[in-house]
């Protein structure tokens, strides 16, 4: 693996924020290939799919992240953000 998995996640976030969704998806898919259940990678994947309008894939990745974070403290910010995104999808 040429780059650390977290580097692919960070690249995906940068590409997402720049609006280059093809490169964002490519980077996050590489990260997921190496760590498919890592919650931060799944959360970023969800944000990418939400930006692309694919609520079902976003939901899938949010659920995977939340499963990993299920025993985290209630005020753990990444868990809270993921729950909020999931609730927004389910209400829309």
């Amino acid at each position: 693996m040429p780059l650390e998995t977290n580097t692919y996640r960070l690249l995906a976030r940068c590409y997402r924020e720049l609006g280059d969704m093809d490169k964002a998806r490519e980077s996050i898919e590489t990260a997921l290939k190496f760590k498919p259940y890592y919650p931060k990678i799944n959360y970023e994947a969800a944000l990418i799919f939400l930006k692309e309008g694919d609520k079902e894939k976003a939901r899938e990745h949010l659920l995977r992240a939340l499963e990993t974070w299920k025993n985290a403290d209630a005020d753990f910010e990444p868990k809270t953000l993921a729950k909020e995104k999931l609730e927004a999808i389910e209400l829309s």
Side-chain angles (χ1 to χ4, degrees), residues 42-66 82 85-86 89:
N42 278 282
Y43 181 72
E44 182 59 41
L47 296 179
I48 291 167
F49 288 119
L50 276 175
K51 190 165 184 174
E52 291 183 324
D54 191 338
K55 292 179 183 180
E56 190 54 41
K57 281 193 176 187
R59 184 178 180 281
E60 172 188 326
H61 287 284
L62 287 169
L63 288 171
R64 192 174 295 161
L66 287 168
K85 292 288 183 191
L86 184 60
I89 289 171

